[in-house]
Amino acid sequence: MRIGIPAETNAGEKRVATVPEVVEKLIKLGFQVAVESGAGDQANCNDDSYRAAGAEIIEGAAKLWAESDIVFKVAVPTSAEVGLMREGITLIGFIWPAQNPELMQQLAAKKATVLAIDTLPRQLSRAQKMDALTSQAGVAGYRAVIEAANAFGRFFNGQITAAGKVPPAKVFIAGAGVAGLAAIGTAAGLGAIVRANDTRAEVADQVKSLGGEFVKVDYEEEGGGGGGYAKVMSEGFQQAQREMYAKQASEVDIIITTALIPGKPAPRLITAEMVQSMKPGSVIVDMAAERGGNCELTVPGEAVVKHGVTIVGYTDLNSRLAKQSSTLYSTNLFRLAEELCKTKDGIINVNMEDDAIRGLTVIKDGEITWPAPPLKMPAPVAKPAAKPVAAPAGHGSAGTPASAGKIAGLFIAVALLFLLIGAYAPAAFLGHFTVFVLACFVGYMVVWNVTPALHTPLMSVTNAISSIIAIGALVQIAPPTMLGLERPEDWIRWLAVVAIGLTAVNMFGGFAVTKRMLSMFRK
């Protein structure tokens, strides 16, 4: 089957559905790839790079749509593009079926099979590799901070110079979803003081881990709406939220808003009065401008100045990083192609029994199948019944006294064992035995009483104990003339050799694991 990559026709759209690096991977899956001439020019992917990757370059959109079995797209197709489609085509890209009912009818009339990347069931862990919403939101969040820095008249990080002191910028981010978290990480990386809020309380730890401060609304209400999205909150919560936003607006230098609820207009979070209370030179970046905006004064697609505050309402943040956005998006589509073509023979199978594919498929052979039925999530594992609490000590009770008796008996038995060993064992053995007992005790206290979350970092600490073992073993196998001792028995010598080998493996493995752990935290 042939995959067609048309040039995007929407105004301001610079992305392309597939980059040359991904073309090579699609060809290995058995597909032929055709790219409309000039489709990747604005994403720094010229026709020659596509040819070098094995794609065919086709002049004109009409020929590409007519000769393609599958079409990868970025933006929602226009009516003109639907008119170019041949019947039975498979279309993969952003569709937004809830917002485009007329488009759905036009595509159904073409007997097309349509997979909307925006309807992917994101709660499925194996669907994350195909999650284009997440990859594009991350790029947009990063770019929002860059646009804010461009419009802001000061450094983000604080500086003390001979010319004076520059305070760090204060940034408030409304919404800590994927885009918001990307913005938090970027702003904190530039040295700003970052605050953030979200209706979902569970994201507070994520905000803090990225260097931000979570600002809580003084109102108790759960804000999770399922599928990774927020829900519409009650009027009481919204009133408390507005009061918190008003306070933040008067204090911070930059506000970045990311609040969106699928299928609904963007909620109004920043009023004109809040904008007026901000310091002159402040900046607002409204990432929800395409859906009406979170700020009352946002002008979609433009950057305007109101009350001395620059309000950025660009709707093409992803296209302002076209190469990066295209690379991530095309990788998402490639992962989807892998799921559709598991046989690697260039033939796709839209398996409606697969939960991920079923969620993506909004039209199958001309029949509208959206919305998909709710996912059948596995039943939660039943918790084991709580053990009955032992009866308190009392008349005839065998609870606490019996437990204490067992411990005392065990202690007495161990003491008697040590007494027998001390009475009959050779003096040389007692020294080794004492070290062995102390080593067991220290090892127990070091490892067993540490929380399991720290067991992996603890491997590097236990290398010290391994070193002690290695030194002791080396002493046992060293030439007796060096130590002034009698030659040890053969079985002791060979046991020492084995000990050196095992501790060397443990020490090497511990340091290797520690190095990998530390590398995860390096930029």
Side-chain angles (χ1 to χ4, degrees):
M1 301 180 78
R2 173 181 285 189
I3 297 175
I5 313 297
E8 300 295 328
T9 59
N10 291 34
E13 184 58 75
K14 299 179 181 179
R15 291 173 290 177
V16 64
T18 298
V19 297
E21 295 84 356
V22 174
V23 167
E24 297 176 354
K25 298 177 182 178
L26 291 171
I27 292 174
K28 289 180 180 178
L29 284 179
F31 296 104
Q32 297 177 3
V33 181
V35 180
E36 182 181 348
S37 180
D41 285 351
Q42 296 187 83
N44 298 322
C45 300
N46 56 36
D47 291 350
D48 290 338
S49 63
Y50 282 111
R51 287 193 186 95
E56 178 186 358
I57 302 300
I58 293 181
E59 296 290 341
K63 184 178 180 181
L64 181 124
W65 283 94
E67 296 181 359
S68 299
D69 304 299
I70 307 166
V71 170
F72 286 177
K73 261 190 65 61
V74 180
V76 176
T78 63
S79 296
E81 288 173 322
V82 174
L84 296 175
M85 294 180 186
R86 62 180 182 82
E87 286 194 355
I89 199 170
T90 298
L91 175 65
I92 302 175
F94 286 103
I95 302 296
W96 304 107
Q99 290 80 25
N100 298 292
E102 293 183 5
L103 173 64
M104 292 286 286
Q105 295 297 332
Q106 294 172 0
L107 293 171
K110 288 284 187 177
K111 294 183 173 55
T113 295
V114 181
L115 280 73
I117 202 71
D118 47 271
T119 64
L120 179 75
R122 303 168 78 184
Q123 55 268 52
L124 294 175
S125 58
R126 69 182 186 86
Q128 294 177 1
K129 61 185 178 182
M130 302 178 278
D131 189 359
L133 286 175
T134 293
S135 66
Q136 299 304 291
V139 175
Y142 170 87
R143 185 68 192 195
V145 176
I146 302 303
E147 294 295 340
N150 181 59
F152 189 51
R154 255 192 14 238
F155 296 133
F156 262 46
N157 62 325
Q159 295 188 17
I160 299 177
T161 68
K165 180 180 179 180
V166 180
K170 295 179 180 178
V171 180
F172 178 71
I173 296 171
V178 176
L181 292 174
I184 292 167
T186 305
L190 290 174
I193 297 172
V194 184
R195 305 169 184 171
N197 168 261
D198 196 279
T199 57
R200 297 158 294 185
E202 64 268 18
V203 304
D205 289 339
Q206 299 176 40
V207 171
K208 294 175 184 176
S209 69
L210 290 170
E213 173 192 353
F214 188 78
V215 183
K216 193 173 184 296
V217 177
D218 190 17
Y219 194 98
E220 295 297 331
E221 183 176 351
E222 173 55 42
Y229 297 101
K231 71 174 184 179
V232 178
M233 307 301 286
S234 67
E235 181 56 38
F237 182 93
Q238 293 182 36
Q239 177 60 35
Q241 188 182 52
R242 283 191 289 269
E243 293 173 1
M244 183 269 291
Y245 282 158
K247 182 176 183 297
Q248 293 298 321
S250 63
E251 296 178 359
V252 302
D253 304 300
I254 296 169
I255 295 177
I256 298 175
T257 65
T258 70
L260 276 176
I261 298 174
K264 298 182 180 295
R268 289 296 169 86
L269 305 178
I270 309 299
T271 64
E273 290 77 13
M274 295 180 194
V275 175
Q276 197 167 2
S277 72
M278 296 181 73
K279 292 172 283 190
S282 297
V283 178
I284 296 174
V285 179
D286 193 340
M287 295 183 63
E290 192 173 4
R291 305 287 181 85
N294 296 138
C295 177
E296 188 177 349
L297 302 180
T298 296
V299 178
E302 299 181 22
V304 297
V305 179
K306 300 287 182 70
H307 305 295
V309 177
T310 302
I311 304 172
V312 179
Y314 297 148
T315 58
D316 60 345
L317 291 174
N318 288 104
S319 287
R320 290 169 182 260
L321 282 172
K323 175 65 174 180
Q324 184 67 76
S325 297
S326 299
T327 301
L328 294 175
Y329 181 69
S330 59
T331 300
N332 294 140
L333 295 190
F334 167 69
R335 296 303 180 189
L336 174 56
E338 284 184 319
E339 292 294 317
L340 294 171
C341 182
K342 294 182 177 180
T343 55
K344 297 184 179 181
D345 58 358
I347 306 296
I348 64 171
N349 174 30
V350 182
N351 181 13
M352 300 296 273
E353 299 298 321
D354 185 309
D355 287 338
I357 303 302
R358 176 65 187 89
L360 285 166
T361 307
V362 295
I363 301 176
K364 178 72 185 301
D365 298 328
E367 179 184 352
I368 295 178
T369 58
W370 183 86
L375 291 175
K376 295 179 180 179
M377 303 303 290
V381 179
K383 294 183 179 179
K387 295 182 179 179
V389 179
H395 299 288
S397 173
T400 305
S403 177
K406 289 180 180 180
I407 294 175
L410 179 63
F411 179 81
I412 293 172
V414 172
L416 289 174
L417 176 63
F418 285 178
L419 182 62
L420 290 172
I421 293 174
Y424 296 101
F429 176 80
L430 285 178
H432 293 296
F433 183 71
T434 302
V435 173
F436 172 75
V437 172
L438 289 176
C440 291
F441 177 76
V442 171
Y444 174 85
M445 297 303 295
V446 169
V447 178
W448 197 260
N449 289 335
V450 175
T451 177
L454 297 177
H455 279 176
T456 302
L458 197 64
M459 289 184 66
S460 59
V461 178
T462 56
N463 281 334
I465 300 174
S466 298
S467 301
I468 295 172
I469 297 172
I471 292 171
L474 288 171
V475 169
Q476 292 294 336
I477 66 174
T481 55
M482 293 178 59
L483 303 173
L485 301 173
E486 296 182 2
R487 180 175 296 277
E489 299 292 339
D490 287 340
W491 68 273
I492 295 178
R493 185 184 303 109
W494 288 114
L495 188 61
V497 171
V498 172
I500 292 174
L502 293 177
T503 53
V505 171
N506 183 58
M507 292 167 64
F508 175 80
F511 285 119
V513 170
T514 303
K515 183 178 183 299
R516 291 188 61 182
M517 288 172 52
L518 294 175
S519 65
M520 294 170 60
F521 297 95
R522 293 196 182 103
K523 292 184 178 180

